[in-house]
Amino acid sequence: MPITIREIGPCFAGEVAGIDMRQRLTPDEAAAIHAGMDRYAVLVFHGQDIDDEQQLAFTRSLGEIELTLNTGLRAESEYRLPPTFADVSNLDQHNRPMARDDRRRLFSLGNRLWHSDSSFKAVPAKYSLLHARSIPSKGGNTEFADMRAAWDALDDETKAACEGLVCEHSQMYSRELIGFSGLTDEERERFRPVRQVLVRTHPVTGRKSLYLASHAGTIVGWPIPEARAFLRDLIEHATQRQFVYSHQWAVGDLVMWDNRQTMHRGRPFPPEEARDVRRTTLAGDGPTVAQEQAA
Ligand SMILES: [Fe+2]
């Protein structure tokens, strides 16, 4: 069956038919998926009954995998999944929902803020692929904001103010926003900020987009309060409902998004219920800006 993609979002997001991720992807299919990502930035695949190995094989057929060691507060002995996955579930290593006050859970609540995956790494992520194995009885949507449409809608003066700016991103900044405290010295060292340009240009389409995330806490050369107020205004602008697609999950859905062109956030759900969603991530091509002067 040939691949077809139907637009489902307000101005982006496509629903893909004709892919079975249990089968090896052909080069033509991989090319169609990349072209779909260039156009829509978010693709939804329904009814994919796949295991970890099949998700890894599908991901690898689209590019190089980004490992996710040491990006959260789980100790390696507490990993539920191999480091080829980002465990964005609310489950501990025994597959039980974490206690409400578990600091690993509280840290992960930063994902409820708008962000782009791995913007806190010097080489940030390209695509994320999230597969739903089990979902809660309600809530838990993932929302996506189109940062190309957000850029296009800015006035010329604001566009000119954004061009050339470099931000510093760290998970410490996003966790500050939700009042998470108590990071150890080792964790603070691990989460030290990296630099990212504020305006990115897509390498294929040439479209510009705002590269924002709640991880962005400073703008190089700006006073911090002014930088944060400016970034907050941009995030408010970029996440207006006309730029947002909200995905309501069903078991077997796989949603793939381009972190270079979108932000996303998770929505709340009952904390005592399991939400087993597993993310594989494609590595980006390189840093967006030189790092040597990073704080
Ligand atoms: Fe995320």
mmCIF file of all heavy atoms in Angstrom, residues 150-195:
data_model
loop_
_atom_site.group_PDB
_atom_site.id
_atom_site.type_symbol
_atom_site.label_atom_id
_atom_site.label_comp_id
_atom_site.label_asym_id
_atom_site.label_seq_id
_atom_site.Cartn_x
_atom_site.Cartn_y
_atom_site.Cartn_z
ATOM 1 N N ALA A 150 4.804 30.407 13.751
ATOM 2 C CA ALA A 150 5.012 31.438 14.775
ATOM 3 C C ALA A 150 5.997 32.489 14.270
ATOM 4 O O ALA A 150 5.793 33.692 14.455
ATOM 5 C CB ALA A 150 5.522 30.804 16.064
ATOM 6 N N TRP A 151 7.058 32.028 13.608
ATOM 7 C CA TRP A 151 8.024 32.984 13.036
ATOM 8 C C TRP A 151 7.361 33.852 11.977
ATOM 9 O O TRP A 151 7.473 35.086 11.989
ATOM 10 C CB TRP A 151 9.221 32.243 12.431
ATOM 11 C CG TRP A 151 10.111 33.162 11.640
ATOM 12 C CD1 TRP A 151 10.101 33.342 10.286
ATOM 13 C CD2 TRP A 151 11.087 34.075 12.161
ATOM 14 N NE1 TRP A 151 11.031 34.300 9.925
ATOM 15 C CE2 TRP A 151 11.644 34.766 11.071
ATOM 16 C CE3 TRP A 151 11.542 34.358 13.448
ATOM 17 C CZ2 TRP A 151 12.637 35.730 11.214
ATOM 18 C CZ3 TRP A 151 12.532 35.324 13.596
ATOM 19 C CH2 TRP A 151 13.070 35.988 12.495
ATOM 20 N N ASP A 152 6.629 33.212 11.057
ATOM 21 C CA ASP A 152 6.007 33.941 9.960
ATOM 22 C C ASP A 152 5.076 35.042 10.476
ATOM 23 O O ASP A 152 4.939 36.080 9.837
ATOM 24 C CB ASP A 152 5.195 32.983 9.067
ATOM 25 C CG ASP A 152 6.089 32.018 8.289
ATOM 26 O OD1 ASP A 152 7.308 32.256 8.208
ATOM 27 O OD2 ASP A 152 5.551 31.005 7.779
ATOM 28 N N ALA A 153 4.446 34.785 11.637
ATOM 29 C CA ALA A 153 3.436 35.720 12.149
ATOM 30 C C ALA A 153 4.029 36.869 12.964
ATOM 31 O O ALA A 153 3.299 37.769 13.370
ATOM 32 C CB ALA A 153 2.410 34.957 13.007
ATOM 33 N N LEU A 154 5.338 36.824 13.233
ATOM 34 C CA LEU A 154 5.965 37.935 13.973
ATOM 35 C C LEU A 154 6.011 39.189 13.106
ATOM 36 O O LEU A 154 6.143 39.100 11.879
ATOM 37 C CB LEU A 154 7.406 37.576 14.367
ATOM 38 C CG LEU A 154 7.615 36.570 15.484
ATOM 39 C CD1 LEU A 154 9.115 36.277 15.616
ATOM 40 C CD2 LEU A 154 7.046 37.069 16.807
ATOM 41 N N ASP A 155 5.962 40.362 13.735
ATOM 42 C CA ASP A 155 6.138 41.597 12.968
ATOM 43 C C ASP A 155 7.625 41.768 12.625
ATOM 44 O O ASP A 155 8.496 41.149 13.245
ATOM 45 C CB ASP A 155 5.603 42.807 13.738
ATOM 46 C CG ASP A 155 6.299 42.989 15.070
ATOM 47 O OD1 ASP A 155 7.504 43.315 15.074
ATOM 48 O OD2 ASP A 155 5.660 42.764 16.117
ATOM 49 N N ASP A 156 7.883 42.605 11.648
ATOM 50 C CA ASP A 156 9.259 42.736 11.140
ATOM 51 C C ASP A 156 10.228 43.224 12.218
ATOM 52 O O ASP A 156 11.387 42.811 12.251
ATOM 53 C CB ASP A 156 9.292 43.694 9.940
ATOM 54 C CG ASP A 156 8.641 43.062 8.714
ATOM 55 O OD1 ASP A 156 8.458 41.822 8.719
ATOM 56 O OD2 ASP A 156 8.300 43.796 7.772
ATOM 57 N N GLU A 157 9.745 44.084 13.093
ATOM 58 C CA GLU A 157 10.618 44.631 14.137
ATOM 59 C C GLU A 157 11.059 43.508 15.084
ATOM 60 O O GLU A 157 12.237 43.425 15.470
ATOM 61 C CB GLU A 157 9.843 45.705 14.902
ATOM 62 C CG GLU A 157 10.706 46.581 15.772
ATOM 63 C CD GLU A 157 9.865 47.665 16.454
ATOM 64 O OE1 GLU A 157 8.795 48.031 15.914
ATOM 65 O OE2 GLU A 157 10.275 48.117 17.524
ATOM 66 N N THR A 158 10.139 42.657 15.462
ATOM 67 C CA THR A 158 10.487 41.554 16.368
ATOM 68 C C THR A 158 11.384 40.552 15.659
ATOM 69 O O THR A 158 12.336 40.033 16.250
ATOM 70 C CB THR A 158 9.213 40.866 16.902
ATOM 71 O OG1 THR A 158 8.323 41.869 17.401
ATOM 72 C CG2 THR A 158 9.545 39.879 18.010
ATOM 73 N N LYS A 159 11.098 40.277 14.380
ATOM 74 C CA LYS A 159 11.991 39.380 13.622
ATOM 75 C C LYS A 159 13.416 39.917 13.636
ATOM 76 O O LYS A 159 14.377 39.179 13.875
ATOM 77 C CB LYS A 159 11.506 39.235 12.172
ATOM 78 C CG LYS A 159 10.325 38.293 12.005
ATOM 79 C CD LYS A 159 9.932 38.234 10.526
ATOM 80 C CE LYS A 159 8.758 37.309 10.328
ATOM 81 N NZ LYS A 159 8.193 37.375 8.975
ATOM 82 N N ALA A 160 13.557 41.225 13.388
ATOM 83 C CA ALA A 160 14.894 41.826 13.354
ATOM 84 C C ALA A 160 15.562 41.737 14.722
ATOM 85 O O ALA A 160 16.776 41.521 14.820
ATOM 86 C CB ALA A 160 14.791 43.281 12.892
ATOM 87 N N ALA A 161 14.766 41.875 15.795
ATOM 88 C CA ALA A 161 15.330 41.783 17.152
ATOM 89 C C ALA A 161 15.809 40.361 17.452
ATOM 90 O O ALA A 161 16.758 40.170 18.216
ATOM 91 C CB ALA A 161 14.284 42.220 18.175
ATOM 92 N N CYS A 162 15.157 39.373 16.865
ATOM 93 C CA CYS A 162 15.491 37.959 17.149
ATOM 94 C C CYS A 162 16.717 37.484 16.362
ATOM 95 O O CYS A 162 17.480 36.644 16.853
ATOM 96 C CB CYS A 162 14.316 37.055 16.780
ATOM 97 S SG CYS A 162 12.877 37.220 17.850
ATOM 98 N N GLU A 163 16.877 37.993 15.165
ATOM 99 C CA GLU A 163 17.950 37.500 14.291
ATOM 100 C C GLU A 163 19.314 37.667 14.961
ATOM 101 O O GLU A 163 19.622 38.728 15.499
ATOM 102 C CB GLU A 163 17.964 38.275 12.969
ATOM 103 C CG GLU A 163 16.770 38.010 12.073
ATOM 104 C CD GLU A 163 16.933 36.787 11.186
ATOM 105 O OE1 GLU A 163 17.833 35.956 11.442
ATOM 106 O OE2 GLU A 163 16.134 36.674 10.229
ATOM 107 N N GLY A 164 20.106 36.638 14.942
ATOM 108 C CA GLY A 164 21.463 36.715 15.466
ATOM 109 C C GLY A 164 21.571 36.467 16.962
ATOM 110 O O GLY A 164 22.683 36.362 17.483
ATOM 111 N N LEU A 165 20.424 36.364 17.665
ATOM 112 C CA LEU A 165 20.514 36.146 19.115
ATOM 113 C C LEU A 165 20.876 34.691 19.429
ATOM 114 O O LEU A 165 20.506 33.766 18.702
ATOM 115 C CB LEU A 165 19.194 36.492 19.802
ATOM 116 C CG LEU A 165 18.788 37.965 19.792
ATOM 117 C CD1 LEU A 165 17.476 38.155 20.537
ATOM 118 C CD2 LEU A 165 19.890 38.837 20.407
ATOM 119 N N VAL A 166 21.619 34.534 20.518
ATOM 120 C CA VAL A 166 22.024 33.210 20.997
ATOM 121 C C VAL A 166 21.526 33.060 22.432
ATOM 122 O O VAL A 166 21.754 33.950 23.265
ATOM 123 C CB VAL A 166 23.555 33.053 20.941
ATOM 124 C CG1 VAL A 166 23.986 31.737 21.584
ATOM 125 C CG2 VAL A 166 24.044 33.121 19.495
ATOM 126 N N CYS A 167 20.837 31.954 22.696
ATOM 127 C CA CYS A 167 20.301 31.686 24.038
ATOM 128 C C CYS A 167 21.128 30.601 24.714
ATOM 129 O O CYS A 167 21.832 29.834 24.052
ATOM 130 C CB CYS A 167 18.853 31.206 23.951
ATOM 131 S SG CYS A 167 17.753 32.391 23.178
ATOM 132 N N GLU A 168 21.017 30.553 26.031
ATOM 133 C CA GLU A 168 21.606 29.445 26.766
ATOM 134 C C GLU A 168 20.483 28.588 27.332
ATOM 135 O O GLU A 168 19.545 29.121 27.954
ATOM 136 C CB GLU A 168 22.541 29.966 27.856
ATOM 137 C CG GLU A 168 23.776 30.596 27.208
ATOM 138 C CD GLU A 168 24.809 31.080 28.200
ATOM 139 O OE1 GLU A 168 24.452 31.387 29.343
ATOM 140 O OE2 GLU A 168 25.994 31.151 27.810
ATOM 141 N N HIS A 169 20.593 27.270 27.079
ATOM 142 C CA HIS A 169 19.548 26.319 27.471
ATOM 143 C C HIS A 169 20.092 25.360 28.516
ATOM 144 O O HIS A 169 21.221 24.882 28.398
ATOM 145 C CB HIS A 169 19.108 25.474 26.267
ATOM 146 C CG HIS A 169 18.379 26.222 25.188
ATOM 147 N ND1 HIS A 169 17.158 25.800 24.692
ATOM 148 C CD2 HIS A 169 18.693 27.352 24.500
ATOM 149 C CE1 HIS A 169 16.755 26.646 23.738
ATOM 150 N NE2 HIS A 169 17.673 27.591 23.596
ATOM 151 N N SER A 170 19.265 25.078 29.506
ATOM 152 C CA SER A 170 19.610 24.068 30.504
ATOM 153 C C SER A 170 18.329 23.556 31.128
ATOM 154 O O SER A 170 17.364 24.315 31.288
ATOM 155 C CB SER A 170 20.495 24.675 31.598
ATOM 156 O OG SER A 170 20.549 23.800 32.715
ATOM 157 N N GLN A 171 18.333 22.278 31.511
ATOM 158 C CA GLN A 171 17.179 21.756 32.251
ATOM 159 C C GLN A 171 17.046 22.456 33.606
ATOM 160 O O GLN A 171 15.977 22.438 34.202
ATOM 161 C CB GLN A 171 17.303 20.244 32.433
ATOM 162 C CG GLN A 171 17.200 19.488 31.116
ATOM 163 C CD GLN A 171 17.003 18.007 31.328
ATOM 164 O OE1 GLN A 171 15.894 17.517 31.383
ATOM 165 N NE2 GLN A 171 18.097 17.290 31.469
ATOM 166 N N MET A 172 18.120 23.076 34.086
ATOM 167 C CA MET A 172 18.007 23.812 35.348
ATOM 168 C C MET A 172 17.040 24.978 35.209
ATOM 169 O O MET A 172 16.289 25.277 36.129
ATOM 170 C CB MET A 172 19.382 24.318 35.789
ATOM 171 C CG MET A 172 20.294 23.196 36.247
ATOM 172 S SD MET A 172 21.829 23.785 36.976
ATOM 173 C CE MET A 172 22.746 24.355 35.548
ATOM 174 N N TYR A 173 17.050 25.643 34.050
ATOM 175 C CA TYR A 173 16.154 26.786 33.862
ATOM 176 C C TYR A 173 14.694 26.335 33.816
ATOM 177 O O TYR A 173 13.833 26.974 34.411
ATOM 178 C CB TYR A 173 16.505 27.541 32.574
ATOM 179 C CG TYR A 173 17.883 28.158 32.573
ATOM 180 C CD1 TYR A 173 18.729 28.024 31.475
ATOM 181 C CD2 TYR A 173 18.345 28.887 33.667
ATOM 182 C CE1 TYR A 173 19.992 28.599 31.462
ATOM 183 C CE2 TYR A 173 19.613 29.459 33.658
ATOM 184 C CZ TYR A 173 20.434 29.307 32.548
ATOM 185 O OH TYR A 173 21.683 29.875 32.542
ATOM 186 N N SER A 174 14.406 25.246 33.083
ATOM 187 C CA SER A 174 13.008 24.811 33.001
ATOM 188 C C SER A 174 12.513 24.310 34.358
ATOM 189 O O SER A 174 11.361 24.510 34.724
ATOM 190 C CB SER A 174 12.830 23.741 31.921
ATOM 191 O OG SER A 174 13.803 22.731 32.015
ATOM 192 N N ARG A 175 13.383 23.668 35.134
ATOM 193 C CA ARG A 175 12.953 23.161 36.447
ATOM 194 C C ARG A 175 12.758 24.293 37.442
ATOM 195 O O ARG A 175 11.896 24.213 38.319
ATOM 196 C CB ARG A 175 13.943 22.128 36.979
ATOM 197 C CG ARG A 175 13.648 20.704 36.523
ATOM 198 C CD ARG A 175 13.558 20.590 35.015
ATOM 199 N NE ARG A 175 13.072 19.300 34.544
ATOM 200 C CZ ARG A 175 12.931 18.990 33.264
ATOM 201 N NH1 ARG A 175 13.212 19.869 32.312
ATOM 202 N NH2 ARG A 175 12.483 17.802 32.908
ATOM 203 N N GLU A 176 13.577 25.357 37.313
ATOM 204 C CA GLU A 176 13.340 26.551 38.137
ATOM 205 C C GLU A 176 11.914 27.057 37.947
ATOM 206 O O GLU A 176 11.268 27.484 38.899
ATOM 207 C CB GLU A 176 14.262 27.682 37.666
ATOM 208 C CG GLU A 176 15.471 27.965 38.497
ATOM 209 C CD GLU A 176 16.348 29.004 37.796
ATOM 210 O OE1 GLU A 176 15.816 29.981 37.228
ATOM 211 O OE2 GLU A 176 17.581 28.799 37.791
ATOM 212 N N LEU A 177 11.429 26.997 36.709
ATOM 213 C CA LEU A 177 10.111 27.565 36.401
ATOM 214 C C LEU A 177 8.990 26.833 37.124
ATOM 215 O O LEU A 177 7.949 27.421 37.417
ATOM 216 C CB LEU A 177 9.847 27.520 34.884
ATOM 217 C CG LEU A 177 10.685 28.448 34.014
ATOM 218 C CD1 LEU A 177 10.420 28.165 32.534
ATOM 219 C CD2 LEU A 177 10.350 29.902 34.326
ATOM 220 N N ILE A 178 9.169 25.527 37.391
ATOM 221 C CA ILE A 178 8.125 24.797 38.122
ATOM 222 C C ILE A 178 8.485 24.659 39.605
ATOM 223 O O ILE A 178 7.843 23.893 40.329
ATOM 224 C CB ILE A 178 7.819 23.412 37.506
ATOM 225 C CG1 ILE A 178 9.084 22.554 37.384
ATOM 226 C CG2 ILE A 178 7.130 23.547 36.158
ATOM 227 C CD1 ILE A 178 8.781 21.078 37.083
ATOM 228 N N GLY A 179 9.526 25.368 40.048
ATOM 229 C CA GLY A 179 9.847 25.348 41.472
ATOM 230 C C GLY A 179 10.532 24.080 41.923
ATOM 231 O O GLY A 179 10.516 23.763 43.119
ATOM 232 N N PHE A 180 11.135 23.348 40.985
ATOM 233 C CA PHE A 180 11.898 22.153 41.380
ATOM 234 C C PHE A 180 13.260 22.609 41.890
ATOM 235 O O PHE A 180 13.963 23.361 41.232
ATOM 236 C CB PHE A 180 12.077 21.225 40.183
ATOM 237 C CG PHE A 180 12.839 19.965 40.519
ATOM 238 C CD1 PHE A 180 12.176 18.821 40.900
ATOM 239 C CD2 PHE A 180 14.231 19.954 40.491
ATOM 240 C CE1 PHE A 180 12.880 17.669 41.227
ATOM 241 C CE2 PHE A 180 14.939 18.810 40.822
ATOM 242 C CZ PHE A 180 14.261 17.666 41.194
ATOM 243 N N SER A 181 13.627 22.146 43.065
ATOM 244 C CA SER A 181 14.928 22.541 43.617
ATOM 245 C C SER A 181 15.600 21.311 44.207
ATOM 246 O O SER A 181 15.025 20.226 44.237
ATOM 247 C CB SER A 181 14.748 23.629 44.679
ATOM 248 O OG SER A 181 13.887 23.154 45.691
ATOM 249 N N GLY A 182 16.797 21.498 44.670
ATOM 250 C CA GLY A 182 17.481 20.401 45.344
ATOM 251 C C GLY A 182 18.363 19.569 44.435
ATOM 252 O O GLY A 182 18.680 18.428 44.758
ATOM 253 N N LEU A 183 18.782 20.125 43.283
ATOM 254 C CA LEU A 183 19.736 19.396 42.443
ATOM 255 C C LEU A 183 21.077 19.296 43.166
ATOM 256 O O LEU A 183 21.502 20.230 43.854
ATOM 257 C CB LEU A 183 19.931 20.110 41.102
ATOM 258 C CG LEU A 183 18.766 20.045 40.115
ATOM 259 C CD1 LEU A 183 19.058 20.931 38.901
ATOM 260 C CD2 LEU A 183 18.493 18.620 39.668
ATOM 261 N N THR A 184 21.737 18.186 43.017
ATOM 262 C CA THR A 184 23.053 18.007 43.627
ATOM 263 C C THR A 184 24.106 18.740 42.792
ATOM 264 O O THR A 184 23.854 19.130 41.640
ATOM 265 C CB THR A 184 23.430 16.518 43.677
ATOM 266 O OG1 THR A 184 23.568 16.054 42.317
ATOM 267 C CG2 THR A 184 22.373 15.685 44.396
ATOM 268 N N ASP A 185 25.299 18.906 43.354
ATOM 269 C CA ASP A 185 26.386 19.544 42.596
ATOM 270 C C ASP A 185 26.687 18.756 41.327
ATOM 271 O O ASP A 185 26.945 19.330 40.264
ATOM 272 C CB ASP A 185 27.655 19.645 43.452
ATOM 273 C CG ASP A 185 27.496 20.690 44.548
ATOM 274 O OD1 ASP A 185 26.564 21.512 44.467
ATOM 275 O OD2 ASP A 185 28.310 20.667 45.497
ATOM 276 N N GLU A 186 26.647 17.427 41.421
ATOM 277 C CA GLU A 186 26.918 16.582 40.248
ATOM 278 C C GLU A 186 25.855 16.827 39.173
ATOM 279 O O GLU A 186 26.165 16.940 37.984
ATOM 280 C CB GLU A 186 26.943 15.104 40.668
ATOM 281 C CG GLU A 186 27.224 14.112 39.544
ATOM 282 C CD GLU A 186 25.985 13.695 38.749
ATOM 283 O OE1 GLU A 186 24.894 13.557 39.353
ATOM 284 O OE2 GLU A 186 26.104 13.531 37.522
ATOM 285 N N GLU A 187 24.604 16.932 39.593
ATOM 286 C CA GLU A 187 23.530 17.164 38.618
ATOM 287 C C GLU A 187 23.663 18.554 37.993
ATOM 288 O O GLU A 187 23.482 18.729 36.781
ATOM 289 C CB GLU A 187 22.166 16.990 39.301
ATOM 290 C CG GLU A 187 21.857 15.517 39.589
ATOM 291 C CD GLU A 187 20.765 15.323 40.633
ATOM 292 O OE1 GLU A 187 20.368 16.298 41.316
ATOM 293 O OE2 GLU A 187 20.327 14.173 40.802
ATOM 294 N N ARG A 188 23.999 19.531 38.786
ATOM 295 C CA ARG A 188 24.156 20.889 38.245
ATOM 296 C C ARG A 188 25.305 20.941 37.230
ATOM 297 O O ARG A 188 25.223 21.619 36.208
ATOM 298 C CB ARG A 188 24.401 21.895 39.378
ATOM 299 C CG ARG A 188 23.258 21.981 40.352
ATOM 300 C CD ARG A 188 23.452 23.079 41.379
ATOM 301 N NE ARG A 188 23.200 24.393 40.796
ATOM 302 C CZ ARG A 188 21.989 24.908 40.611
ATOM 303 N NH1 ARG A 188 20.924 24.234 40.988
ATOM 304 N NH2 ARG A 188 21.842 26.076 40.064
ATOM 305 N N GLU A 189 26.332 20.201 37.465
ATOM 306 C CA GLU A 189 27.445 20.138 36.523
ATOM 307 C C GLU A 189 27.000 19.462 35.221
ATOM 308 O O GLU A 189 27.315 19.908 34.115
ATOM 309 C CB GLU A 189 28.617 19.382 37.166
ATOM 310 C CG GLU A 189 29.808 19.118 36.251
ATOM 311 C CD GLU A 189 30.465 20.396 35.735
ATOM 312 O OE1 GLU A 189 30.280 21.472 36.347
ATOM 313 O OE2 GLU A 189 31.154 20.308 34.687
ATOM 314 N N ARG A 190 26.232 18.394 35.370
ATOM 315 C CA ARG A 190 25.736 17.652 34.211
ATOM 316 C C ARG A 190 24.780 18.506 33.371
ATOM 317 O O ARG A 190 24.699 18.351 32.162
ATOM 318 C CB ARG A 190 24.999 16.422 34.736
ATOM 319 C CG ARG A 190 25.082 15.236 33.889
ATOM 320 C CD ARG A 190 24.976 13.893 34.586
ATOM 321 N NE ARG A 190 24.170 13.672 35.738
ATOM 322 C CZ ARG A 190 22.870 13.367 35.730
ATOM 323 N NH1 ARG A 190 22.204 13.306 34.599
ATOM 324 N NH2 ARG A 190 22.231 13.131 36.856
ATOM 325 N N PHE A 191 24.027 19.382 34.036
ATOM 326 C CA PHE A 191 22.996 20.172 33.347
ATOM 327 C C PHE A 191 23.477 21.582 33.000
ATOM 328 O O PHE A 191 22.677 22.479 32.775
ATOM 329 C CB PHE A 191 21.735 20.270 34.224
ATOM 330 C CG PHE A 191 21.094 18.945 34.527
ATOM 331 C CD1 PHE A 191 20.441 18.732 35.735
ATOM 332 C CD2 PHE A 191 21.132 17.898 33.616
ATOM 333 C CE1 PHE A 191 19.846 17.510 36.024
ATOM 334 C CE2 PHE A 191 20.540 16.673 33.896
ATOM 335 C CZ PHE A 191 19.895 16.481 35.104
ATOM 336 N N ARG A 192 24.789 21.802 32.966
ATOM 337 C CA ARG A 192 25.252 23.171 32.701
ATOM 338 C C ARG A 192 24.799 23.622 31.302
ATOM 339 O O ARG A 192 24.676 22.804 30.379
ATOM 340 C CB ARG A 192 26.766 23.290 32.882
ATOM 341 C CG ARG A 192 27.592 22.534 31.902
ATOM 342 C CD ARG A 192 29.086 22.715 32.214
ATOM 343 N NE ARG A 192 29.872 22.004 31.237
ATOM 344 C CZ ARG A 192 30.120 20.690 31.282
ATOM 345 N NH1 ARG A 192 29.666 19.969 32.277
ATOM 346 N NH2 ARG A 192 30.824 20.107 30.336
ATOM 347 N N PRO A 193 24.552 24.919 31.159
ATOM 348 C CA PRO A 193 23.909 25.430 29.945
ATOM 349 C C PRO A 193 24.736 25.233 28.667
ATOM 350 O O PRO A 193 25.967 25.192 28.707
ATOM 351 C CB PRO A 193 23.736 26.924 30.241
ATOM 352 C CG PRO A 193 23.781 27.041 31.722
ATOM 353 C CD PRO A 193 24.724 25.959 32.180
ATOM 354 N N VAL A 194 24.032 25.126 27.563
ATOM 355 C CA VAL A 194 24.647 25.125 26.234
ATOM 356 C C VAL A 194 24.011 26.253 25.419
ATOM 357 O O VAL A 194 22.940 26.748 25.769
ATOM 358 C CB VAL A 194 24.449 23.786 25.491
ATOM 359 C CG1 VAL A 194 25.007 22.627 26.293
ATOM 360 C CG2 VAL A 194 22.994 23.560 25.138
ATOM 361 N N ARG A 195 24.691 26.627 24.342
ATOM 362 C CA ARG A 195 24.207 27.734 23.520
ATOM 363 C C ARG A 195 23.448 27.231 22.293
ATOM 364 O O ARG A 195 23.840 26.233 21.683
ATOM 365 C CB ARG A 195 25.386 28.606 23.083
ATOM 366 C CG ARG A 195 26.004 29.316 24.262
ATOM 367 C CD ARG A 195 27.081 30.286 23.861
ATOM 368 N NE ARG A 195 27.397 31.131 25.020
ATOM 369 C CZ ARG A 195 28.170 32.197 24.992
ATOM 370 N NH1 ARG A 195 28.731 32.572 23.861
ATOM 371 N NH2 ARG A 195 28.385 32.894 26.081
#
